[in-house]
Amino acid sequence: MLGMSAKGRVLIIDDEPGIRDLLSQTLSEVGGYETEIATDGLDGIEKIRSSEFDVIFTDLAMPRLNGMDFLKKCKEIDIKTPVVVLTGVSSMEIAVNSMRQGAYDFITKPFHLDKVVSTTKKIIEERKLFGRLASSQGSEVSLRTLNAELFKKLQEIATLHSISADVDDCHENKEIYARAAGMAAKLLTVNEVSFGIIQDGLLEIKSAIGIVGKAFPLAGTFLARVIDKRRHHVADVGETSPYDGAAMSSQFLAIPLVVGNEVFGILSVSGKADGTAFSEEEIYLAIDFVKKVASKIENNALYEVFFNNLVDSLKSLIATIEARDSYTKKHSERVTLYALQTAEAMHLGSDEIDTIRFGGYLHDIGKIGVRDTVLLKPGHLSDEEILEIRMHTVIGDEIVKPMKFFESEREIIRHHHENFNGSGYPDSALGREISVTTRILAVADSYDAMTSNRPYRRARTHEFAINELTRCAGTQFDPEVVRVFLETPIGGGIFT
Ligand SMILES: [Fe+2]
């Protein structure tokens, strides 16, 4: 049922004046709709009680009555007007919930104004169509169609949500590059997807489905225009393919990946499985996906800079500790090297290798909290002094604890003096309770400790050290780690 205006009446509920005025202006000037605004949910309820609307747009976070409660209230008082929820990408779960509360659709912020107009148009047309269907074929048919629509929409949101979580899970940009094409293919049913980075006038393909080739020149193709204009482009059937120069047999959608102010890459999709043209919804879905990817890439880049600075600071901190104690100079570096060789020989994954790379450097970081008089004491240590030295594992753990991303390295720092049979410190952890990276580090650490000069004794020989490791395999050390260590260049005595 349409309101007074021929094109339709729209109610916009938002507590931010800037947003509601912009929406209202766009819908009336571009869309030709009659608009009214409400400042929050309660105001919205008053408006729909006194006047009739064809579409309602509502914000979620608002004073007095928020968007979710507004939806509930609409249900209670039996308002049938379709409500579109405006939401941030981060509150995708709220979007799913609002659909369950009866919202008709949702639009993620920052939204495209064209999308607001096209959504309004679509809803009003659909309502007209359903009105006709209901009168000509009975309400059962339209209800079934409505359910199918709703189901499709919910599926779309669930997919977008899971892909959004997948993107968030990629902590390294090379991982995003490698997975971008696959994720886009999950979002749209197409036969060809490519994700490329712009480099020296070429589009270097980082991941692709159905596209052969590693790099394509951009000059003279419509991709060059996409980069110039920083705007997506839909190329039609018959246009020249940027990949092989042939006339294309399906539509081709190219979306620029903008980071900062630069176009950094391009995601393109083509060859729709059902042979149809891209719908506006599909285009916006793909654009939202590329935006999500771009913002994650930017975050990762910032994080990498931050992380590298942090690692440099930690390394210089370790150097300071080692400088205090001339006997352990370069100890952390050597232990890391031995542990890495062992880990590689054991075919550990790249995550575990990275853990050893950082954890190896950091394992004795807690020694910063042990007094020089104890740390450097040449003679016999009292029980109390032994306890103080042992505290370096716990102190080190406390130092890196606030840095959330050092979880697996923390385990190395805390447990590198634990023994395989549970007789170590500080937690008496046993066997596989101790991570494999820590079990490797313990062997490397002991080997280096034995073969270096110490305040209380001179360095032992390589033979002595490997005899000790072998003797203590199964009690102090993981026997499998000892076996592999003895096969590495250092454990095999090549450098002695
Ligand atoms: Fe230690």
Side-chain angles (χ1 to χ4, degrees), residues 187-385:
L187 204 58
L188 304 169
T189 359
V190 287
N191 293 323
E192 292 156 5
V193 189
S194 77
F195 177 77
I197 296 297
I198 299 157
Q199 196 97 51
D200 306 323
L202 294 175
L203 185 69
E204 279 186 14
I205 303 299
K206 296 293 178 186
S207 58
I209 293 170
I211 304 281
V212 189
K214 284 272 154 242
F216 300 97
L218 289 159
T221 69
F222 59 77
L223 295 181
R225 279 206 307 279
V226 167
I227 297 167
D228 268 3
K229 298 216 158 98
R230 291 191 211 157
R231 201 176 189 285
H232 72 276
H233 176 72
V234 181
D236 273 319
V237 174
E239 282 193 49
T240 311
S241 162
Y243 295 143
D244 56 15
M248 296 190 295
S249 56
S250 73
Q251 266 195 347
F252 187 109
L253 167 63
I255 301 164
L257 179 95
V258 184
V259 177
N261 267 328
E262 294 278 308
V263 177
F264 187 65
I266 292 179
L267 177 93
S268 54
V269 284
S270 49
K272 261 189 80 178
D274 59 5
T276 58
F278 287 109
S279 71
E280 217 162 77
E281 293 206 347
E282 286 170 320
I283 294 172
Y284 284 120
L285 210 55
I287 290 176
D288 282 343
F289 167 68
V290 175
K291 276 195 180 157
K292 172 87 199 168
V293 167
S295 90
K296 184 65 185 168
I297 286 177
E298 195 165 16
N299 276 346
N300 281 352
L302 287 174
Y303 175 82
E304 271 162 35
V305 170
F306 166 75
F307 185 78
N308 289 337
N309 284 342
L310 182 70
V311 168
D312 284 348
S313 318
L314 288 172
K315 277 187 182 172
S316 58
L317 189 60
I318 298 291
T320 319
I321 300 166
E322 292 184 346
R324 281 164 74 195
D325 176 0
S326 58
Y327 294 102
T328 61
K329 247 192 202 138
K330 302 266 175 195
H331 168 68
S332 303
E333 206 173 302
R334 288 192 303 269
V335 170
T336 307
L337 175 74
Y338 305 161
L340 282 175
Q341 287 181 357
T342 312
E344 272 154 21
M346 287 176 81
H347 307 293
L348 296 197
S350 62
D351 281 356
E352 285 159 320
I353 301 272
D354 281 346
T355 296
I356 290 181
R357 193 164 284 131
F358 293 126
Y361 265 105
L362 301 179
H363 76 278
D364 274 340
I365 196 168
K367 282 192 176 165
I368 199 150
V370 180
R371 286 172 298 158
D372 279 1
T373 47
V374 177
L375 192 68
L376 308 176
K377 192 173 176 182
H380 181 76
L381 295 174
S382 70
D383 286 353
E384 211 172 295
E385 287 164 340

Side-chain angles (χ1 to χ4, degrees), residues 148-185:
E149 276 285 309
L150 187 64
F151 181 70
K152 201 181 127 223
K153 200 80 211 171
L154 273 174
Q155 263 186 328
E156 202 178 81
I157 298 170
T159 312
L160 195 61
H161 190 213
S162 96
I163 289 174
S164 178
D166 284 352
V167 174
D168 279 332
D169 275 347
C170 297
H171 298 300
E172 282 185 52
N173 285 344
K174 62 176 185 202
E175 199 186 341
I176 297 189
Y177 299 164
R179 294 179 58 190
M183 292 192 279

Side-chain angles (χ1 to χ4, degrees), residues 386-423:
I386 289 175
L387 278 181
E388 183 171 343
I389 287 204
R390 289 184 170 189
M391 277 304 284
H392 80 276
T393 51
V394 179
I395 296 168
D397 182 25
E398 291 296 323
I399 291 174
V400 297
K401 202 191 232 165
M403 309 167 202
K404 297 261 183 287
F405 41 89
F406 277 121
E407 287 303 316
S408 46
E409 286 80 357
R410 260 181 73 189
E411 219 267 326
I412 290 189
I413 294 165
R414 189 175 179 94
H415 284 163
H416 70 278
H417 289 290
E418 295 288 1
N419 292 340
F420 196 64
N421 65 1
S423 64

Side-chain angles (χ1 to χ4, degrees), residues 61-188:
M62 291 182 295
R64 300 206 301 165
L65 189 68
N66 66 34
M68 206 66 89
D69 291 336
F70 170 78
L71 281 167
K72 278 186 201 148
K73 189 82 192 159
C74 283
K75 229 191 226 175
E76 256 174 59
I77 57 176
D78 204 26
I79 296 292
K80 295 268 190 326
T81 314
V83 180
V84 180
V85 170
L86 305 164
T87 167
V89 178
S90 55
S91 54
M92 204 55 92
E93 259 168 282
I94 298 176
V96 175
N97 283 337
S98 55
M99 293 294 284
R100 293 206 178 106
Q101 276 306 331
Y104 188 87
D105 202 348
F106 75 103
I107 293 185
T108 49
K109 285 183 199 169
F111 40 75
H112 313 268
L113 289 170
D114 322 355
K115 177 148 189 193
V116 175
V117 176
S118 68
T119 303
T120 308
K121 187 170 166 232
K122 195 191 88 188
I123 292 174
I124 290 178
E125 278 170 3
E126 271 175 15
R127 296 242 302 162
K128 273 190 208 159
L129 183 72
F130 287 136
R132 274 207 299 275
L133 272 175
S135 55
S136 64
Q137 295 167 350
S139 55
E140 204 189 308
V141 179
S142 60
L143 196 63
R144 223 182 294 146
T145 326
L146 261 172
N147 270 339
E149 276 285 309
L150 187 64
F151 181 70
K152 201 181 127 223
K153 200 80 211 171
L154 273 174
Q155 263 186 328
E156 202 178 81
I157 298 170
T159 312
L160 195 61
H161 190 213
S162 96
I163 289 174
S164 178
D166 284 352
V167 174
D168 279 332
D169 275 347
C170 297
H171 298 300
E172 282 185 52
N173 285 344
K174 62 176 185 202
E175 199 186 341
I176 297 189
Y177 299 164
R179 294 179 58 190
M183 292 192 279
K186 235 162 99 183
L187 204 58
L188 304 169

